[in-house]
Amino acid sequence: DICHHIDRYLDYKAIRGVKIHQYASIDVLPSVDDPEVLCVFVDDFIGSGTQASDCIGRFRKNTSRECRIAVAALVAQEEGVNQLQKLCQDTYFGEIRSRGISDSVKCSDISADIGMMESISEKFNVACVLGKYNSEALVTMKRTPNNTFGVFWSRNWDKRR
């Protein structure tokens, strides 16, 4: 249960007395107009932060709700964390990861290593070489996020090569 896992990261001293409701979509949230209410957006993985930022923007634009907003995810890319922390003060992540090549201390020649990844991807006819928005994520789950290097999730492989 995702709520159980996220539950470990919430600061209950800061949100004491909060009534918790679970909803699958922002479109079915009840009308909330209370700055003491905390709306928590939950995801399994945050890559660039674009999708979560868009969701928060849509929530704020399409509702008259005045409430605190938090984002929680099991795993997040550092870039996405930085973007989301500009939008909301409460963020909770089980693990924060850096880009697989560009931020790696193991890569002595980042340009050459990215070139190698491009070469491998070209060999297998893989688009989105560095992952969506060039996130360079190295994470796998039941469904590997498209922010991960394309060779790990692309279905465009030309197996005859």
Side-chain angles (χ1 to χ4, degrees):
D1 179 37
I2 188 77
C3 291
H4 168 73
H5 295 290
I6 297 302
D7 196 49
R8 298 182 313 163
Y9 298 102
L10 294 176
D11 180 359
Y12 279 100
K13 290 178 184 169
I15 59 173
R16 185 171 300 164
V18 171
K19 188 173 182 180
I20 298 175
H21 298 280
Q22 295 180 30
Y23 298 96
S25 167
I26 63 170
D27 301 322
V28 296
L29 283 173
S31 180
V32 175
D33 193 13
D34 184 348
E36 298 301 314
V37 170
L38 176 64
C39 294
V40 182
F41 292 83
V42 180
D43 204 348
D44 58 351
F45 178 72
I46 304 283
S48 65
T50 302
Q51 185 176 358
S53 296
D54 291 347
C55 186
I56 291 169
R58 197 170 87 227
F59 175 76
R60 286 182 172 152
K61 178 182 175 188
N62 294 333
T63 66
S64 61
R65 297 175 183 104
E66 181 63 42
C67 63
R68 286 176 40 210
I69 294 176
V71 175
L74 298 176
V75 181
Q77 289 291 104
E78 188 173 6
E79 176 185 2
V81 170
N82 293 337
Q83 182 173 337
L84 291 173
Q85 287 178 335
K86 295 174 189 172
L87 295 175
C88 54
Q89 66 187 45
D90 299 301
T91 55
Y92 307 94
F93 306 106
E95 184 174 339
I96 299 174
R97 308 205 31 111
S98 300
R99 292 177 295 178
I101 296 175
S102 298
D103 296 332
S104 176
V105 295
K106 296 179 181 180
C107 296
S108 58
D109 187 345
I110 292 171
S111 295
D113 292 339
I114 287 176
M116 188 182 310
M117 183 60 79
E118 290 170 341
S119 176
I120 293 167
S121 297
E122 184 179 323
K123 186 173 187 172
F124 291 102
N125 195 28
V126 172
C128 216
V129 175
L130 301 177
K132 189 172 183 182
Y133 302 114
N134 296 322
S135 295
E136 299 181 39
L138 281 170
V139 65
T140 188
M141 299 178 171
K142 186 173 183 178
R143 186 189 62 78
T144 301
N146 63 0
N147 297 87
T148 302
F149 291 98
V151 294
F152 293 107
W153 59 267
S154 179
R155 296 173 193 236
N156 294 334
W157 285 38
D158 183 350
K159 294 179 173 114
R160 294 172 288 155
R161 286 186 165 187

